[in-house]
């Protein structure tokens, strides 16, 4: 889309840069519509002589190119900032979820009447008081890890 606009602009600039002077006629038809044509109309018409477009100097063309490069750089920087913000928001959402999960786990561990582990055969083994205290401490540590920086 941008490329086609650039081509149309360049072609128009080339056509208008030549010092061809044409007349344009402003006419009004029977219904009152205004028309702009290149040949005189029947009845009354107003003649306009367009002013030729100024020739674009190389200096102006260079400034235009520099401006376009600058705009592309700004767009790239803006896109990078948007990606960084989206990443930050996603990370924050994941942190909130992990905090919630850690609090839920801590609550279950601290309020459970018994804690156990299972072996590879699915057999349950109750945790000793020492193992239970260590599990509760690890649960509190996870809550602190995920929830303290929110």
């Amino acid at each position: 889309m941008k490329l086609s606009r650039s081509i149309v602009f360049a072609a128009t600039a080339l056509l208008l840069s030549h010092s061809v002077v044409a007349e344009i006629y402003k006419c009004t038809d029977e219904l009152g519509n205004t028309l702009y044509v290149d040949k005189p109309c029947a009845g009354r018409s107003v003649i306009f002589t367009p002013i030729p477009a100024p020739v674009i100097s190389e200096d102006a063309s260079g400034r235009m190119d520099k401006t376009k490069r600058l705009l592309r750089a700004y767009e790239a920087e803006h896109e990078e900032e948007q990606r960084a913000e989206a990443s930050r928001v996603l990370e924050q959402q994941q942190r909130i979820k992990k905090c919630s999960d850690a609090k839920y786990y801590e609550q279950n561990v601290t309020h459970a009447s018994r804690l156990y582990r299972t072996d590879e055969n699915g057999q349950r083994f109750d945790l000793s008081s020492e193992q239970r205290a260590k599990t509760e401490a690890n649960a509190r540590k996870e809550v602190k890890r995920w929830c303290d920086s929110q």
Side-chain angles (χ1 to χ4, degrees), residues 19-32:
S19 60
V20 176
V21 178
E23 293 180 334
I24 299 174
Y25 299 90
K26 178 180 176 183
C27 306
T28 307
D29 65 8
E30 304 82 30
L31 301 174

Side-chain angles (χ1 to χ4, degrees), residues 8-133:
V8 169
F9 177 74
T12 305
L14 283 174
L15 289 175
L16 293 177
S17 67
H18 297 291
S19 60
V20 176
V21 178
E23 293 180 334
I24 299 174
Y25 299 90
K26 178 180 176 183
C27 306
T28 307
D29 65 8
E30 304 82 30
L31 301 174
N33 297 324
T34 303
L35 305 170
Y36 294 92
V37 293
D38 59 349
K39 295 182 179 150
C41 308
R44 184 163 113 26
S45 59
V46 179
I47 300 172
F48 291 99
T49 304
I51 300 170
V55 177
I56 299 175
S57 68
E58 287 185 30
D59 185 44
S61 178
R63 284 193 313 265
M64 176 87 74
D65 290 340
K66 184 177 178 181
T67 302
K68 286 179 182 179
R69 284 193 307 273
L70 184 61
L71 287 173
R72 281 194 297 271
Y74 285 152
E75 287 174 0
E77 183 180 341
H78 181 67
E79 288 172 1
E80 180 60 34
E81 287 172 356
Q82 286 180 327
R83 281 192 293 274
E85 178 64 16
S87 175
R88 189 192 64 74
V89 167
L90 179 62
E91 183 179 310
Q92 183 66 19
Q93 289 172 342
Q94 290 172 341
R95 189 164 199 80
I96 290 169
K97 170 78 169 104
K98 289 182 179 188
C99 173
S100 175
D101 291 347
K103 284 180 178 179
Y104 181 75
Y105 178 71
E106 179 196 24
Q107 183 181 10
N108 286 338
V109 166
T110 56
H111 291 92
S113 58
R114 291 182 346 166
L115 291 179
Y116 60 89
R117 66 175 174 81
T118 56
D119 64 5
E120 59 275 352
N121 296 328
Q123 187 175 3
R124 293 182 181 181
F125 297 96
D126 286 340
L127 297 182
S128 66
S129 297
E130 183 180 299
Q131 290 172 325
R132 181 182 180 118

